[in-house]
Amino acid sequence: MSDTTPRLIATIAQLREELRTVRGAGRKIGLAPTMGALHEGRLSLVRAAKAECDCAVVSIFVNPSQFGPNEDLAKYPRTLDADLALLAGCGADLAFAPSNEEVYRAGHDTWVEVGSVAEPLEGVFRPGHFRGVTTVVLKLLNMVQPDAAYFGQKDYQQALAIRRMAADLDLPAAIRVCPTVRESDGLAMSSRNRYLSAAARQRALVLWKSLQLADKLVRQGECCAPAIATRMRELIETAEDARIDYVALVDPETLQPVETIAGRTLAALAVRIENTRLIDNCMLMAGG
Ligand code: PAF
């Protein structure tokens, strides 16, 4: 694997030119879409793209259309130089970092709306979020035309909505979902972790601990979903200033709530710690 900084590309025309040669040589293209502020979680998507494909393209674009009016678009970290240095270590070939104007040209007025899997959980607390995500992902897929595109399990609902879109719109790219990468103490890696003070970061561990609690309860034979959710909430509420948006035990395909844990059930949560909104999830296996 080379340690060369990936070639930085800012326009769709230049991207297509580069990829024409790659495709012409019969080489497979993998896309890892990101919003930059890279960390090991995002880099694992690039590594997966490079492992499976010949040419790994990383998009770095803070997509304004997926942020609500009161969200953190303005303060979202933009760290292009550091991102490029990190990408050099994981074999990325091209870094595509377009401007807002390049992605949303004047008059842009077409949007992708995924149906029911985009409605619960994040869909309730971040209206319009998935419309922005699926629109930009479809645009990136059209710009790059990869053989496969890589997303993280940490954004479970996002990955599900993208899989739904890809199936419904007959997109040719394979959609791969890679495991959540955690810090050694269990905190799921996220660009937003850098907003947390040291003390808040410690309190944020309660997300992972509550997921572990759910896993333990299921392994001990508890199968009443509301009872498990209550225990998770009680644990999260022990962390000073933790504000729960949701703690949900849902069917992993439909995201509809379940009453009884039977087979695979997704435990998903969103919690604000010191005004930073964090999400995490894990799969519970009854009898597993
Ligand atoms: O997961 C993200 O970082 C973003 O939602 C994505 C997929 C890059 C679209 O902007």
Side-chain angles (χ1 to χ4, degrees), residues 32-36 42 59 61-63 66 76 129 132-134 136-137 140 151-152 155 158 162 191:
T34 81
M35 299 207 298
R42 295 287 182 226
S59 61
F61 177 62
V62 182
N63 173 35
Q66 69 187 72
Y76 196 88
H129 171 66
V133 169
T134 47
V136 83
V137 169
L140 290 166
F151 299 89
D155 297 300
Q158 165 173 288
I162 291 167
S191 307

Side-chain angles (χ1 to χ4, degrees), residues 56-108:
V57 181
V58 184
S59 61
I60 299 178
F61 177 62
V62 182
N63 173 35
S65 72
Q66 69 187 72
F67 288 78
N70 300 319
E71 294 185 354
D72 56 346
L73 174 62
K75 75 165 187 172
Y76 196 88
R78 287 153 173 92
T79 57
L80 185 59
D81 290 342
D83 290 345
L84 292 175
L86 287 170
L87 288 172
C90 50
D93 297 281
L94 301 179
F96 177 50
S99 64
N100 281 347
E101 295 69 31
E102 183 71 5
V103 175
Y104 294 105
R105 288 180 296 283
H108 175 100

Side-chain angles (χ1 to χ4, degrees), residues 100-196:
N100 281 347
E101 295 69 31
E102 183 71 5
V103 175
Y104 294 105
R105 288 180 296 283
H108 175 100
D109 201 16
T110 302
W111 301 96
V112 179
E113 296 265 10
V114 169
S116 61
V117 296
E119 284 163 12
L121 310 180
E122 292 299 288
V124 173
F125 289 88
R126 304 186 70 189
H129 171 66
F130 289 119
R131 177 187 196 249
V133 169
T134 47
T135 300
V136 83
V137 169
L138 179 60
K139 284 167 75 60
L140 290 166
L141 290 171
N142 283 335
M143 292 171 196
V144 176
Q145 297 179 24
D147 295 277
Y150 298 80
F151 299 89
Q153 173 95 10
K154 178 178 161 283
D155 297 300
Y156 185 96
Q157 190 175 12
Q158 165 173 288
L160 197 60
I162 291 167
R163 274 176 36 203
R164 184 76 266 154
M165 168 180 76
D168 290 352
L169 300 183
D170 307 303
L171 303 183
I175 304 299
R176 303 272 191 255
V177 182
C178 303
T180 302
V181 180
R182 299 184 180 279
E183 304 284 357
S184 55
D185 57 10
L187 184 67
M189 291 198 185
S190 162
S191 307
R192 291 187 167 99
N193 290 351
R194 65 185 78 192
Y195 299 152
L196 297 167

